[in-house]
């Protein structure tokens, strides 16, 4: 280890210190530690060093012993001793305040502080337009505390400057990497980072203060899933994206009109490959510049909040791509990913898996989650591909994976990370939601960590989705043989806090649109889809519907073009849209549909064994019995007349929703108010008799 340089006590600026002498420091060690005071450090002594770097050649050339200050880089740090302790232990959850690029005023000069984690580097410099991409021009200082952090202050470099890090690794590789903590990036296919800030004068205090009233597990949550680049495009220029601000004038009012409580965006972090839909991320802290600046995205989120709509963001801590400028092989070593590709490579997506056992990597990921919640006022994170994180043998054949220390298939490091992530999120933002896309039977995904769970707020109910779509694809004449596909979900519906998803994955890659999954002629297809939505909205759990499904998009989702909005010129599609609007309205107005979504006492089967007629009848309960709602579903095109079922107590039951109504493009068979009769049925003393329309769902409430 190089000896520490004696401190020269002086108040003079660095450039004016003349005759300071010190022993040369090795490249791998640091110069004298500066004492840190907020964004200003005490002046530090100039030293002479000798560095071996590469400059546009494969042969290392020695730079003459030169004053470091002559490089134009000054020693400066945002890291305190406590920051270092937290970073090494993996508990620093706001690394974005320290690492990356930050415009600061240092000793009266405005410039940018750069800091990057590259522990296996021999040499790191900042390259950009400001120095003609010269990798010998602005070398950074490596810290003395074995953090592996390189840092320095470059005067007169400010917002808008494109840059990368040049890294000469201990393996001899020369690398040019984007900043993992960059707040903005160049628009693909260019790959440089851009010095930027996240300053924004937010005007959503009322929403943020009362968000808990909209985001709780006992509140309605109806989510509209959106792929930003293909929701809509300019009719005049269909190849051009709408910007964040363009969308603010279009999508916010639409989501409000439809009655959704939340919008969920597929990943909006910077990603080089557009067809990855945002799931192959290289810039975790940078809102993709395809649609505007970070501040433009903040404006869009603010507009949603102003209209009472929450914003959920897809988040991808499961894997990252191998692009040369990205996280892979960052400093010539497997810094962010596992070195053993049996744990570090994802065979399905040809991407790399984070090393969840490395403290600094855990801090990077949790800091990223906190970043989006804090800086962008995001109301929830939907965590992608959790199943792939939980199991070491996920999508691997025998011999292609390594068992854990107990000989099992569970990824203990990933499990520990997910628990820590959820604890950190809810400790800092108790009024948000974390939602796991998890497709296995892993126990306790949405249970608190103190009971052994992973700590998520909710989990996608993939079993419900698969069983339901499989059932609805059956011709009605065969449905009596598959009746249990619809009733089975309630066996496990309350083992987790489930969200019912009909997501983008179900309408792409040859799976057909939802409307074309439905059997029968055109009328039956639309009637089936209306039942599907009615069943979904009255089933326990929160809801998620992918864009275009709310008006029965006929084509599979194509991320390269706009949704087919012209379909709304036709009555059947208008009928589907009105159905979703009506269901969202009822969902928000009727406590029985949301107050006890995750409580078995909120649901009761009345008729679940009438497979012959393919009829279901169930009760949804609120906290107050007067809010109870009865749901009746006929899954065949044959009307069921004079159908009797039991009801609780005496009273009159009013039809409050009927998917067969004319306004929804149904046949118009409805029911008048139905007084209960003192006639026993289905283990109840009272009952009512109704006419169930063909392929329809009807809801009743006591008056």
């Amino acid at each position: 280890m190089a000896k520490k340089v004696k401190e020269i006590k002086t108040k003079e600026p660095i450039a004016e210190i003349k005759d300071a002498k010190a022993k040369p420091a090795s490249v791998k060690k640091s110069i004298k530690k500066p004492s840190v005071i907020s964004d200003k450090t005490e002046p530090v002594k100039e030293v002479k060093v000798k560095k071996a770097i590469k400059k546009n050649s494969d042969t290392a050339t020695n730079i003459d012993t030169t004053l470091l200050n002559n490089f134009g880089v000054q020693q400066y740090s945002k890291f305190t001793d406590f920051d270092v302790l937290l970073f090494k232990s993996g508990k620093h959850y706001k690394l974005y305040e320290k690492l990356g690029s930050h415009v600061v005023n240092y000793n009266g000069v405005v410039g940018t502080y750069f800091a990057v984690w590259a522990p296996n580097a021999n040499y790191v410099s900042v390259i950009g337009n400001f120095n003609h991409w010269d990798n010998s021009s602005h070398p950074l200082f490596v810290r003395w505390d074995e953090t592996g952090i390189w840092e320095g202050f470059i005067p007169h470099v400010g917002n808008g400057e494109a840059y990368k890090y040049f890294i000469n690794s201990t393996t001899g590789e020369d690398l040019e990497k984007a900043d993992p903590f960059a707040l903005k990036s160049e628009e693909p296919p260019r790959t440089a980072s851009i010095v930027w800030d996240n300053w924004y004068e937010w005007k959503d205090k009322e929403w943020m203060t009362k968000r808990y009233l909209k985001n709780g597990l006992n509140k309605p949550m109806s989510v509209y899933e959106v792929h930003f680049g293909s929701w809509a495009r300019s009719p005049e220029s269909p190849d051009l994206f709408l910007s964040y601000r363009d969308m603010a004038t279009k999508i916010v009012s639409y989501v409000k009109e439809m009655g959704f409580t939340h919008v969920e965006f597929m990943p909006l972090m910077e990603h080089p490959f557009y067809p990855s839909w945002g799931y192959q991320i290289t810039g975790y802290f940078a809102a993709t510049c395809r649609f505007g600046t970070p501040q433009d995205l903040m404006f869009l989120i603010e507009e949603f909040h102003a209209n009472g709509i929450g914003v959920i963001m897809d988040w991808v801590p499961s894997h990252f791509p191998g692009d040369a400028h990205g996280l892979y092989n960052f400093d010539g070593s497997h810094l962010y990913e596992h070195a053993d590709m049996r744990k570090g490579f994802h065979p399905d997506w040809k991407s790399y898996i984070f090393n969840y056992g490395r403290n600094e990597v855990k801090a990077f990921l949790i800091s990223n989650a906190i970043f989006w919640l804090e800086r962008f006022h995001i109301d929830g994170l939907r965590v992608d591909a959790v199943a792939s994180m939980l199991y070491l043998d996920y999508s691997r054949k025998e011999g292609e994976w390594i068992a854990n220390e107990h000989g099992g298939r569970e990824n203990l490091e990933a499990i520990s990370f997910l628990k820590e992530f959820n604890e950190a999120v809810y400790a800092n933002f108790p009024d948000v939601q974390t939602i796991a896309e998890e497709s296995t039977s892993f126990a306790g995904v949405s249970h608190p960590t103190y009971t052994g769970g992973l700590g998520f707020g909710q989990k996608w109910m993939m079993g419900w989705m698969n069983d339901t779509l499989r059932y609805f694809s059956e011709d009605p004449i065969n449905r009596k043989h598959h009746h249990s596909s619809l009733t089975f979900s309630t066996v496990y519906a309350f083992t987790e806090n489930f969200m019912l998803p009909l997501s983008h994955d179900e309408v792409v890659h040859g799976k057909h649109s939802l409307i074309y999954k439905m059997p029968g002629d055109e009328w039956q297809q639309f009637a089936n889809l209306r039942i599907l939505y009615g069943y979904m909205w009255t089933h326990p759990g929160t809801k998620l519907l992918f864009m275009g499904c709310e008006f029965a998009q006929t084509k599979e989702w194509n991320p390269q073009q706009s949704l087919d909005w012209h379909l709304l010129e036709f009555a059947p599609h208008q009928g589907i849209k009105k159905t979703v609007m009506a269901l969202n309205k009822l969902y928000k107005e009727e406590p029985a549909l949301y107050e006890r979504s995750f409580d078995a006492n909120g649901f009761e089967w009345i008729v679940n064994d009438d497979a012959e007629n393919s009829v279901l009848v169930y009760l949804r309960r609120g906290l107050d019995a007067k809010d109870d709602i009865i749901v009746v579903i006929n899954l065949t095109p044959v009307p069921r007349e004079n159908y009797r079922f039991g009801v609780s107590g005496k009273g009159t039951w009013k039809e409050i929703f009927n998917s067969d109504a004319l306004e929804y493009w149904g046949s118009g068979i409805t029911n008048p108010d139905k007084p209960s009769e003192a006639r026993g049925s289905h283990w109840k003393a009272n009952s009512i008799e109704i006419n169930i329309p063909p392929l329809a769902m009807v809801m009743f409430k006591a008056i």
Side-chain angles (χ1 to χ4, degrees), residues 424-622:
V425 166
Y426 283 111
N428 288 277
F429 302 94
D431 54 354
V432 304
Q433 289 290 333
T434 61
I435 305 161
E437 186 218 7
E438 205 284 309
S439 56
T440 75
S441 58
F442 191 94
V445 171
S446 61
H447 294 188
T449 57
Y450 59 78
T451 66
L454 293 183
F456 283 94
Q458 297 178 47
K459 169 184 171 173
W460 274 20
M461 198 175 188
M462 307 295 279
W464 171 88
M465 180 269 297
N466 288 320
D467 289 345
T468 299
L469 291 181
R470 190 181 306 114
Y471 177 91
F472 272 88
S473 68
E474 289 287 343
D475 189 290
I477 199 171
N478 298 322
R479 285 178 175 173
K480 61 184 178 181
H481 304 299
H482 303 275
H483 197 67
S484 61
S485 293
L486 290 190
T487 60
F488 178 66
S489 63
T490 56
V491 173
Y492 64 94
F494 306 103
T495 59
E496 300 275 4
N497 298 335
F498 280 118
M499 171 177 279
L500 280 56
L502 291 175
S503 74
H504 63 275
D505 282 326
E506 308 317 312
V507 293
V508 74
H509 294 328
K511 294 182 180 179
H512 306 296
S513 61
L514 287 186
I515 187 63
Y516 284 162
K517 293 179 191 290
M518 303 296 116
D521 58 23
E522 183 183 46
W523 188 91
Q524 291 190 31
Q525 286 179 319
F526 280 88
N528 270 298
L529 190 57
R530 293 193 299 271
I531 299 178
L532 171 59
Y533 291 160
Y535 169 61
M536 176 179 177
W537 257 256
T538 57
H539 190 287
T542 56
K543 331 295 174 188
L544 178 137
L545 188 66
F546 185 57
M547 64 181 197
C549 298
E550 79 279 8
F551 61 82
Q553 168 97 2
T554 51
K555 286 189 281 186
E556 276 190 344
W557 169 52
N558 183 349
Q560 302 290 347
Q561 65 185 44
S562 169
L563 295 177
D564 292 332
W565 293 103
H566 65 275
L567 292 175
L568 285 171
E569 299 173 10
F570 304 101
H573 297 275
Q574 275 284 352
I576 294 293
K577 179 184 176 184
K578 290 177 180 178
T579 300
V580 174
M581 291 172 66
L583 289 170
N584 273 331
K585 185 174 185 293
L586 278 171
Y587 181 43
K588 291 187 289 187
E589 291 178 348
E590 298 295 340
L593 296 179
Y594 64 79
E595 281 184 337
R596 305 171 92 173
S597 280
F598 312 115
D599 178 359
N601 292 318
F603 180 90
E604 178 188 343
W605 280 115
I606 298 175
V607 180
N608 67 349
D609 57 353
D610 191 0
E612 187 63 33
N613 291 311
S614 296
V615 169
L616 298 173
V617 184
Y618 50 90
L619 179 70
R620 290 300 309 274
R621 290 197 187 96

Side-chain angles (χ1 to χ4, degrees), residues 140-153:
L140 298 178
F141 301 86
V142 65
R143 290 182 62 87
W144 63 94
D145 48 19
E146 299 183 352
T147 55
I149 294 171
W150 298 72
E151 59 187 353
F153 172 80

Side-chain angles (χ1 to χ4, degrees), residues 95-96 98-102 112-116 163 165 179-182:
L95 284 175
Y96 50 89
K98 307 295 177 177
L99 290 169
S101 58
H102 303 269
T112 298
Y113 163 72
F114 294 92
V116 61
Y163 71 98
Y165 295 114
D179 189 343
F181 285 85

Side-chain angles (χ1 to χ4, degrees), residues 232-246:
R233 297 193 181 183
S234 168
E236 295 77 22
S237 305
D239 292 332
L240 298 180
F241 298 122
L242 296 180
S243 71
Y244 295 123
R245 288 183 178 267
D246 291 335

Side-chain angles (χ1 to χ4, degrees), residues 652-657 671-674 699-703:
T652 299
W653 293 82
K654 180 181 180 62
E655 186 178 275
I656 61 172
F657 176 82
N671 288 277
D673 294 350
K674 292 287 182 177
M699 297 166 60
F700 294 88
K701 184 177 182 180
I703 56 173

Side-chain angles (χ1 to χ4, degrees), residues 278-463:
Y279 292 101
Q280 298 273 355
I281 298 171
T282 52
Y284 272 78
F285 292 83
T288 179
C289 61
R290 289 176 175 88
F291 315 121
T293 68
Q295 284 76 9
D296 293 334
L297 175 55
M298 292 172 183
F299 175 79
L300 172 60
I301 294 167
E302 185 177 75
E303 286 296 297
F304 275 115
H305 288 172
N307 286 273
I309 300 165
V311 180
I312 299 168
M313 190 77 77
D314 272 16
W315 186 56
V316 191
S318 47
H319 64 115
F320 59 89
D323 294 71
H325 69 286
L327 297 178
Y328 175 69
N329 190 39
F330 187 78
D331 61 355
S333 70
H334 297 289
L335 191 61
Y336 287 89
E337 69 277 5
H338 277 282
D340 191 325
M341 289 296 104
R342 289 174 295 177
K343 294 177 71 176
F345 183 73
H346 199 295
D348 285 348
W349 304 315
K350 312 302 180 191
S351 55
Y352 296 88
I353 301 170
F354 285 102
N355 183 350
Y356 305 109
R358 190 163 196 169
N359 285 339
E360 297 89 344
V361 173
K362 287 196 298 183
F364 168 81
L365 288 170
I366 295 176
S367 290
N368 186 244
I370 298 296
F371 169 84
W372 287 98
L373 295 167
E374 179 189 77
R375 295 283 178 89
F376 284 80
H377 291 197
I378 295 298
D379 304 296
L381 293 168
R382 177 266 194 185
V383 183
D384 182 63
V386 171
S388 73
M389 300 170 65
L390 294 177
Y391 297 102
L392 294 164
D393 64 343
Y394 185 90
S395 195
R396 296 178 188 275
K397 299 176 183 177
E398 187 175 351
E400 295 179 347
W401 59 282
I402 308 171
N404 63 34
E405 60 191 54
H406 305 298
R409 57 195 283 258
E410 295 80 10
N411 188 332
L412 302 180
E413 293 173 345
I415 291 170
S416 176
F417 159 73
L418 289 170
K419 291 181 178 181
E420 188 175 338
F421 150 73
N422 278 307
E423 289 170 351
V425 166
Y426 283 111
N428 288 277
F429 302 94
D431 54 354
V432 304
Q433 289 290 333
T434 61
I435 305 161
E437 186 218 7
E438 205 284 309
S439 56
T440 75
S441 58
F442 191 94
V445 171
S446 61
H447 294 188
T449 57
Y450 59 78
T451 66
L454 293 183
F456 283 94
Q458 297 178 47
K459 169 184 171 173
W460 274 20
M461 198 175 188
M462 307 295 279

